Amino acid sequence: MNWRAIFKPSAKYSILSLLVVGIVIGVVGYFATQQTLHATSTDAFCMTCHSNHSLKDEVLASAHGGGRAGVTVQCQDCHLPHGPVNYLVKKIIVSKDLYGFLTIDGFNTQEWLDANRKEQADKALHYFRDNDSANCQHCHTRIYENQPETMKKMAVRMHSMNFKKDPESRKTCVDCHKGVAHPYPKG
């Protein structure tokens, strides 16, 4: 194949037809990428590597597992950002976990999870602190202002006091709410 021919104007095809073909390929590629990203963000996909862990049962037993509101939180609700660029970046970063799944002996066992829970929980806490618990605040939108009447008085007071602080000295959600979906290890 002559590589120069790719960059020369074509005598056979008009610029418009080449532009249309390029746009069609770009749109199809974009939507195929989006479908792939979202298909690999489902609970079913996550459980292919975590099937022998207690993670799913932990979430279902927690307040996020279908409590009074009847909403069950999915893995991606907490573990993936909601913005499109950050979502794509995080998906690229976590793709390395497939290598770990393939190379770590006993990864898909409860024993591995129990032995590594503290390290994994600390990584998650670091992630949440770095983004001011953006995943929490994506769903819990009324924690500072216009709080629901069903919120306990102590919670209203604590959140209000935290909101009055300077933004850099405020606590983030996981500073007080560790282990909401998965038990935080002792010690």
Side-chain angles (χ1 to χ4, degrees):
M1 173 178 204
N2 184 356
W3 290 101
R4 290 185 188 159
I6 292 175
F7 298 105
K8 277 191 198 173
S10 174
K12 215 186 243 189
Y13 304 105
S14 72
I15 295 293
L16 181 62
S17 64
L18 293 174
L19 187 62
V20 168
V21 168
I23 290 172
V24 168
I25 290 172
V27 168
V28 169
Y30 172 79
F31 284 107
T33 300
Q34 291 300 310
Q35 290 301 312
T36 301
L37 288 172
H38 291 292
T40 59
S41 297
T42 63
D43 279 2
F45 184 82
C46 295
M47 289 303 120
T48 58
C49 295
H50 296 290
S51 59
N52 294 325
H53 296 159
S54 61
L55 299 172
K56 182 77 171 172
D57 294 334
E58 292 167 8
V59 173
L60 291 174
S62 75
H64 287 100
R68 292 182 302 221
V71 176
T72 302
V73 174
Q74 304 294 306
C75 300
Q76 70 272 13
D77 293 329
C78 298
H79 293 282
L80 291 173
H82 295 279
V85 174
N86 291 337
Y87 177 81
L88 179 60
V89 169
K90 184 72 171 181
K91 288 294 285 186
I92 292 168
I93 291 169
V94 300
S95 66
K96 70 170 177 29
D97 292 347
L98 291 174
Y99 177 76
F101 174 73
L102 296 171
T103 60
I104 296 173
D105 284 338
F107 171 80
N108 194 14
T109 64
Q110 187 64 34
E111 292 78 25
W112 183 91
L113 177 64
D114 292 339
N116 294 281
R117 187 180 289 270
K118 177 91 167 90
E119 177 188 354
Q120 298 301 311
D122 288 341
K123 284 181 182 179
L125 287 175
H126 182 71
Y127 167 73
F128 281 108
R129 285 187 182 119
D130 280 352
N131 68 21
D132 191 26
S133 299
N135 293 49
C136 302
Q137 294 184 50
H138 181 77
C139 297
H140 298 276
T141 56
R142 296 171 37 188
I143 59 168
Y144 291 132
E145 298 168 341
N146 193 24
Q147 296 162 329
E149 293 177 13
T150 56
M151 202 171 182
K152 293 180 181 175
K153 290 179 183 180
M154 175 64 93
V156 170
R157 187 170 52 239
M158 297 302 286
H159 286 118
S160 297
M161 288 176 10
N162 191 44
F163 186 66
K164 291 175 186 173
K165 294 178 182 177
D166 292 329
E168 57 275 350
S169 60
R170 284 184 195 155
K171 290 185 177 191
T172 190
C173 301
V174 295
D175 290 327
C176 300
H177 301 280
K178 274 185 203 165
V180 174
H182 304 290
Y184 189 77
K186 306 278 189 245

